[in-house]
């Protein structure tokens, strides 16, 4: 739900100016990675209820995500989150029952894996690492508000950790994002802390790089899933071998473009959206701020040359809605 004037209050009804429906959770990262041209596989539990069927079709048929290691589960209600966007941020209400399935038994060979951080990683995460995958971890909101630092023990098995500044400060018991990323850099090769509209900062122990890039000033409609889209963008830049500042800038751009649309997963930009933004920036009025962005994102010239961003086949964002089967596009696995 977007466009709320204020949070709901007991005994009242609040009307919103917009809404969208889309797969969420780890699906945000899967869609965002697939939109950026990465061959993407998702291992997760899917209910056979209407919500689960919608997610299965959207991911597998529309977004081209491989679901061969995912599960269909009967007699289980799909987890559902309602995200309420107002005041430049969002609040979420979630209904969820644990999925009655075991961990994945098959781990596809992959250059990288996106996982949820746990103090004791699931065995499949360890198998993925043993197979050579770079493990990128994020972490969710701690409903207990205890922010047990023991969770960070799981970073031993990770290549990169990408929390937001609130999560990073609370887990590291620090007072600002810079101190948090420094503390995390002692535990994981690549530490990244996102700061919403204020950008992101990171330390790469492998290369010795440190970087802090400002956020993009874009009109935000819905911040749901922006951190997940950021993570997929950062992973894409890592696999491409870019420098740390370019990786952060690209991830910031992906997240910034996503908040201009409804929802988390289906708002993730494709190369067509990125090319449109870059072209508009270079052709627009040349202010001092614009000139700085042209320098900061100059690496996109070479990157976009390697993608079909100027053709009708360029992948772009899709509308977030509960579609029925007949509404799905017939021309390919993704929305164009």
């Amino acid at each position: 739900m977007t466009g709320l004037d204020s949070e709901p209050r007991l005994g009242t009804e609040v009307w919103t100016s917009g809404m969208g429906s889309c797969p969420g959770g780890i699906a945000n990262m899967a869609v965002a990675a697939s939109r950026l041209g990465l061959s993407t596989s998702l291992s997760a539990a899917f209910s056979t209820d209407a919500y689960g069927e919608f997610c299965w079709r959207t991911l597998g048929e529309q977004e081209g995500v491989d679901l061969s290691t995912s599960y269909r589960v009967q007699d289980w209600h799909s987890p559902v989150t309602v995200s309420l966007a107002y005041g430049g941020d969002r609040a979420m209400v979630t209904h969820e029952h644990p999925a009655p399935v075991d961990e994945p038994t098959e781990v596809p060979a992959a250059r990288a894996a996106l996982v949820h951080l746990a103090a004791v990683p699931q065995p499949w995460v360890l198998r993925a690492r043993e197979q050579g995958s770079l493990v990128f971890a994020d972490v969710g909101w701690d409903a207990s508000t205890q922010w047990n630092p023991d969770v960070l023990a799981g970073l031993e098995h990770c290549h990169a950790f990408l929390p937001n500044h609130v999560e990073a400060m609370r887990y590291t018991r620090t007072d600002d994002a810079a101190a948090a990323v420094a503390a995390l850099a002692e535990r994981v090769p690549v530490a990244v802390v996102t700061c919403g509209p204020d950008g992101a900062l990171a330390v790469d122990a492998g290369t010795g790089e440190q970087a802090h890039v400002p956020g993009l000033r874009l009109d935000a409609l819905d911040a749901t899933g922006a951190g997940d889209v950021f993570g997929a963008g950062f992973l894409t830049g890592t696999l491409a071998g870019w420098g740390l500042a370019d990786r952060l800038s690209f991830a910031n751009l992906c997240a910034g473009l996503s908040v201009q649309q409804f929802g988390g997963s289906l708002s993730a930009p494709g190369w067509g959206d990125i090319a449109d933004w870059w072209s508009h920036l270079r052709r627009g009025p040349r202010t001092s701020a614009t000139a700085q962005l042209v320098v900061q994102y100059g690496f996109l010239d070479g990157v976009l040359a390697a993608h079909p961003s100027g053709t009708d086949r360029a992948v772009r964002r899709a509308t977030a809605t509960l579609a029925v089967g007949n509404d799905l596009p017939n021309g390919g696995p993704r929305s164009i």
Side-chain angles (χ1 to χ4, degrees):
M1 304 287 183
T2 65
L4 283 76
D5 292 329
S6 63
E7 71 275 12
R9 296 181 179 86
L10 291 175
T12 69
E13 183 174 7
V14 177
W15 294 85
T16 72
S17 60
M19 67 162 288
S21 301
C22 58
I26 197 65
N28 294 337
M29 288 186 171
V31 171
S34 182
R35 292 269 176 89
L36 294 174
L38 298 181
S39 178
T40 305
S41 178
L42 174 64
S43 183
F46 287 77
S47 172
T48 56
D49 64 13
Y51 297 112
E53 182 64 24
F54 163 70
C55 289
W56 185 272
R57 286 191 288 104
T58 300
L59 292 169
E61 298 176 24
Q62 177 176 312
E63 297 300 329
V65 175
D66 171 35
L67 301 178
S68 60
T69 60
S70 288
Y71 304 82
R72 306 301 298 273
V73 182
Q74 295 183 347
D75 301 322
W76 174 58
H77 192 295
S78 290
V80 176
T81 293
V82 178
S83 180
L84 307 174
Y86 60 91
D89 206 336
R90 81 283 184 269
M92 294 184 284
V93 181
T94 296
H95 169 77
E96 180 177 10
H97 300 285
V101 296
D102 296 326
E103 62 147 271
T105 56
E106 178 185 353
V107 180
R111 298 171 65 195
L114 290 159
V115 305
H116 189 275
L117 186 66
V120 181
Q122 291 179 297
W124 76 264
V125 175
L126 302 181
R127 290 201 299 273
R129 183 171 180 262
E130 291 170 357
Q131 292 175 188
S133 297
L134 296 177
V135 177
F136 291 69
D138 75 342
V139 68
W141 180 258
D142 181 5
S144 74
T145 70
Q146 297 302 304
W147 306 96
N148 188 343
D150 290 346
V151 169
L152 300 182
L155 293 178
E156 175 187 356
H157 308 286
C158 298
H159 170 75
F161 184 41
L162 303 93
N164 65 40
H165 65 291
V166 174
E167 296 159 349
M169 289 188 294
R170 293 187 179 179
Y171 276 117
T172 59
R173 306 302 195 259
T174 52
D175 296 326
D176 58 58
V181 77
L184 292 172
E186 297 178 358
R187 311 187 67 142
V188 67
V190 180
V192 181
V193 173
T194 62
C195 303
D198 294 325
L201 53 161
V203 176
D204 187 329
T207 64
E209 297 171 281
Q210 299 184 32
H212 177 205
V213 299
L216 293 170
R217 301 304 174 186
L218 300 171
D219 292 333
L221 174 66
D222 182 4
T224 306
D228 297 329
V229 176
F230 179 100
F234 189 83
L235 181 149
T236 299
T238 299
L239 296 182
W242 303 344
L244 185 61
D246 288 349
R247 282 180 272 166
L248 282 185
S249 295
F250 183 73
N252 258 346
L253 174 59
C254 292
L257 293 178
S258 77
V259 304
Q260 295 182 310
Q261 303 291 329
F262 296 110
S265 59
L266 300 187
S267 67
W271 286 110
D273 301 300
I274 293 166
D276 290 345
W277 176 85
W278 180 233
S279 176
H280 178 76
L281 178 72
R282 300 194 68 174
R283 294 177 182 175
R286 186 55 61 92
T287 65
S288 59
T290 300
Q292 292 176 0
L293 286 175
V294 169
V295 172
Q296 179 183 348
Y297 284 92
F299 68 94
L300 284 179
D301 278 333
V303 172
L304 289 171
H307 296 275
S309 54
T311 72
D312 291 338
R313 293 181 58 80
V315 177
R316 287 181 169 83
R317 293 173 288 196
T319 300
T321 183
L322 278 165
V324 297
N326 289 338
D327 293 333
L328 294 176
N330 297 319
R334 301 184 178 92
S335 292
I336 303 297

